[in-house]
Amino acid sequence: MYFIAVGLIGVTSSCSKFLEESTQSEVVPRSAESLNEYMMGDAYPNDFALHPEEPFLNDDIQMIAYKQNELMYPAYTWQPDMPEKIGGLVTVSSWRSCYAAIQACNTTLDYLPKMTGEQRFKDYVGGQAYLLRAFYYFNLVNLYGMPYNDPQTDPNKNLAVPLLISGGVESDYKSRNTVAEVYAQIETDLKEGIRLIEGSGQVYSKYRMGSEAGHLLASRIYLYMDKWNEVIQHTENLMAGAYKLMDLRNWGEVKPLEKPVISINNPETIWAFGTVGDVIVADSLVYRMSSELMSSYEDGDLRKGIYWSNGITRKLSTADIGAAPAQSFRLSEVYLNRAEAFAQLYKQGNVAAGQKCLDLLNALREKRLKEDKYVPWTLQTVGNDLLRHIHEERRREFYSEGGRWFDLRRYGMPKITHLSFSSASQAQKFVLQERDPSYVWPIPLRVIGLNPKIVQNPLAEIRQPQ
């Protein structure tokens, strides 16, 4: 199956491993269990990076040393030809990887009715496919389209990415759907995926995307859409579920190889996935946590030492690179998404929402700070600046977990400055201006070359040091 429709050639589905072809036109289906196994290999983000450039774009890191021919230099300096400069050196493409996984989801949904197996299990398999497809389109629309909540543009007019919702061969060229259309498809997929999995009654591991992960993703989607009541609705049951905030006060000795934060054994992990390709690990001698972020952790914050040390993440195990998950959906995001929604309602005049927001923030902070250093926030101390405190807490909590770039986009696309070493002793300053065109990624030229209906995003000029 070729993705000519979205400007890719050679992206194939390995579903044939589980489907027997009796003739060229007739497909003999096998079991839903086999299709479930196929999804783990082709639909889940377990052997490819979602957006490996993302950590180098945001303001959470800084370059600390010169390295000749540094691979991620085009991303770190926000160059408009980033896809070609990086893609020519590594076999990585967010566009390619996400659409290949979407194709696996579509193939699953197309073949599932023909599969043998109990309907409840088939619903569970289909539910995963819907949720994963929503997850990939969420990533794509936030890489290649304008932020949904941008006050100066219209999501009904802003172009995003083509929507493919069938696993069949697409020989016709597809044009880009709008940001609003992609978000509408995400909402539809989330609702259907959650409905199917919750109705299936299946028990699943944290390596599978279940209904709880669907609700968390939905809360994130609605946060990006400024739909505060929907954020609260989708986090309600998660607050009363089986997941618990990890208590760093009782963490004990820090042993990332034996007890990583990103792990299915973490009591707040809802879904564990991903590879180290989305996390800065290998080039720790070149990039570290930014001094600005480092200084924002207050005295007694236990995340210093447990989450990171010397500016390098300690959240994941690097003992089995490629085997252990590098990202996760965690209960702490539920708290922060919910807190932000209440803060927005408080800003609109709902007084009770302000205290609900603070209760959530303090519950999280209490588990992150030493007992003798923890002082609860009150409306009197932070009430006039709740959103800023939430955004800063979110940044501290999720350092190196891949969401900062998306957050910066929905915060208004602020100005960022990066210092880059041009030699062992010479540093240069590169600036990403407020609302810079590079806040929306350029579509790879190969994609445009293969599909004439795909229009390029507005590009910045080649960025020069200031």
Side-chain angles (χ1 to χ4, degrees):
M1 298 181 183
Y2 296 92
F3 262 3
I4 298 173
V6 293
L8 292 179
I9 289 181
V11 175
T12 62
S13 169
S14 63
C15 196
S16 58
K17 292 186 294 183
F18 302 102
L19 300 174
E20 298 174 350
E21 295 186 10
S22 57
T23 68
Q24 289 185 343
S25 60
E26 180 184 2
V27 176
V28 179
R30 295 181 63 181
S31 70
E33 181 63 46
S34 293
L35 200 54
N36 193 41
E37 294 173 7
Y38 155 70
M39 284 186 61
M40 182 55 79
D42 285 52
Y44 275 86
N46 295 327
D47 60 358
F48 63 87
L50 287 167
H51 29 69
E53 301 93 338
E54 190 274 343
F56 301 89
L57 295 163
N58 63 50
D59 57 352
D60 278 355
I61 67 156
Q62 63 187 30
M63 181 179 266
I64 62 169
Y66 169 72
K67 180 181 178 181
Q68 189 174 12
N69 299 322
E70 162 53 22
L71 175 62
M72 287 299 178
Y73 177 85
Y76 185 72
T77 57
W78 307 293
Q79 299 300 335
D81 55 355
M82 175 183 71
E84 284 65 50
K85 287 290 182 63
I86 296 177
L89 298 173
V90 294
T91 55
V92 164
S93 166
S94 298
W95 184 284
R96 180 185 180 90
S97 297
C98 286
Y99 271 114
I102 287 169
Q103 175 72 338
C105 295
N106 291 340
T107 299
T108 297
L109 293 171
D110 286 352
Y111 281 108
L112 191 58
K114 307 171 187 177
M115 294 290 171
T116 60
E118 294 185 0
Q119 186 59 47
R120 289 164 68 91
F121 186 77
K122 292 168 75 171
D123 288 346
Y124 164 61
V125 175
Q128 292 176 76
Y130 280 114
L131 295 183
L132 285 166
R133 188 168 70 183
F135 175 67
Y136 293 120
Y137 275 124
F138 164 75
N139 280 276
L140 285 170
V141 73
N142 281 285
L143 292 174
Y144 299 104
M146 285 289 287
Y148 184 95
N149 69 340
D150 178 47
Q152 298 185 29
T153 58
D154 185 353
N156 291 291
K157 297 180 180 178
N158 293 333
L159 295 180
V161 295
L163 282 172
L164 294 182
I165 54 175
S166 171
V169 176
E170 292 278 2
S171 58
D172 295 331
Y173 295 121
K174 292 279 189 179
S175 57
R176 296 169 66 185
N177 289 83
T178 66
V179 170
E181 288 170 339
V182 176
Y183 268 86
Q185 184 63 51
I186 292 170
E187 287 186 88
T188 297
D189 283 352
L190 285 172
K191 289 176 183 177
E192 183 65 4
I194 291 170
R195 183 190 71 82
L196 287 171
I197 293 180
E198 287 184 343
S200 74
Q202 297 294 314
V203 178
Y204 42 84
S205 80
K206 292 182 178 181
Y207 291 120
R208 293 278 182 173
M209 193 175 188
S211 57
E212 294 95 340
H215 280 296
L216 177 48
L217 180 57
S219 77
R220 191 187 294 179
I221 295 296
Y222 289 122
L223 200 67
Y224 285 38
M225 299 175 75
D226 293 351
K227 295 186 176 182
W228 317 124
N229 289 319
E230 285 85 347
V231 175
I232 294 169
Q233 174 190 343
H234 279 280
T235 53
E236 191 73 43
N237 290 337
L238 292 172
M239 294 293 297
Y243 306 100
K244 304 296 180 185
L245 286 175
M246 57 181 170
D247 192 344
L248 299 189
R249 298 170 302 177
N250 301 323
W251 189 262
E253 186 178 356
V254 180
K255 296 182 177 180
L257 296 183
E258 300 176 17
K259 189 172 58 174
V261 173
I262 306 299
S263 166
I264 61 170
N265 297 318
N266 186 329
E268 66 180 60
T269 295
I270 297 172
W271 176 38
F273 63 95
T275 73
V276 294
D278 285 310
V279 182
I280 297 176
V281 176
D283 257 348
S284 59
L285 296 178
V286 179
Y287 300 100
R288 299 285 174 92
M289 176 190 287
S290 69
S291 54
E292 176 203 6
L293 175 55
M294 201 176 298
S295 64
S296 75
Y297 290 84
E298 59 189 292
D299 184 31
D301 195 323
L302 292 163
R303 287 172 290 199
K304 296 185 294 185
I306 296 177
Y307 281 17
W308 58 271
S309 178
N310 198 28
I312 299 299
T313 184
R314 304 181 76 182
K315 288 182 177 179
L316 64 157
S317 172
T318 57
D320 299 311
I321 291 181
Q327 295 187 56
S328 63
F329 280 16
R330 297 195 279 117
L331 186 63
S332 50
E333 184 182 352
V334 174
Y335 274 69
L336 288 167
N337 289 359
R338 193 173 172 86
E340 187 168 340
F342 278 126
Q344 292 285 1
L345 294 178
Y346 176 69
K347 187 178 177 181
Q348 296 173 8
N350 186 333
V351 178
Q355 189 56 52
K356 291 178 180 178
C357 168
L358 279 177
D359 290 343
L360 290 161
L361 288 174
N362 285 327
L364 176 63
R365 293 178 62 249
E366 187 177 12
K367 303 291 187 182
R368 301 299 189 253
L369 300 177
K370 294 178 180 178
E371 292 184 31
D372 61 339
K373 297 294 184 179
Y374 168 68
V375 177
W377 286 343
T378 67
L379 286 176
Q380 289 71 34
T381 58
V382 302
N384 292 330
D385 213 2
L386 266 179
L387 283 172
R388 179 178 66 82
H389 282 82
I390 293 168
H391 293 170
E392 290 175 353
E393 194 63 29
R394 187 181 192 92
R395 186 182 183 190
R396 287 187 288 265
E397 180 67 19
F398 299 120
Y399 166 66
S400 80
E401 294 188 48
R404 179 62 177 172
W405 182 249
F406 289 1
D407 281 338
L408 289 170
R409 284 165 40 90
R410 69 184 181 92
Y411 295 161
M413 299 176 281
K415 178 181 177 180
I416 304 175
T417 299
H418 278 172
L419 289 180
S420 174
F421 284 89
S422 55
S423 69
S425 59
Q426 183 75 30
Q428 298 175 320
K429 182 171 73 173
F430 287 84
V431 177
L432 183 73
Q433 299 292 347
E434 182 179 1
R435 298 185 57 80
D436 195 288
S438 292
Y439 264 109
V440 180
W441 283 16
I443 295 172
L445 294 180
R446 176 173 172 78
V447 171
I448 296 173
L450 291 169
N451 183 348
K453 284 191 174 182
I454 293 182
V455 180
Q456 180 62 281
N457 284 319
L459 300 179
E461 297 293 327
I462 296 294
R463 205 172 303 273
Q464 302 293 338
Q466 295 187 2

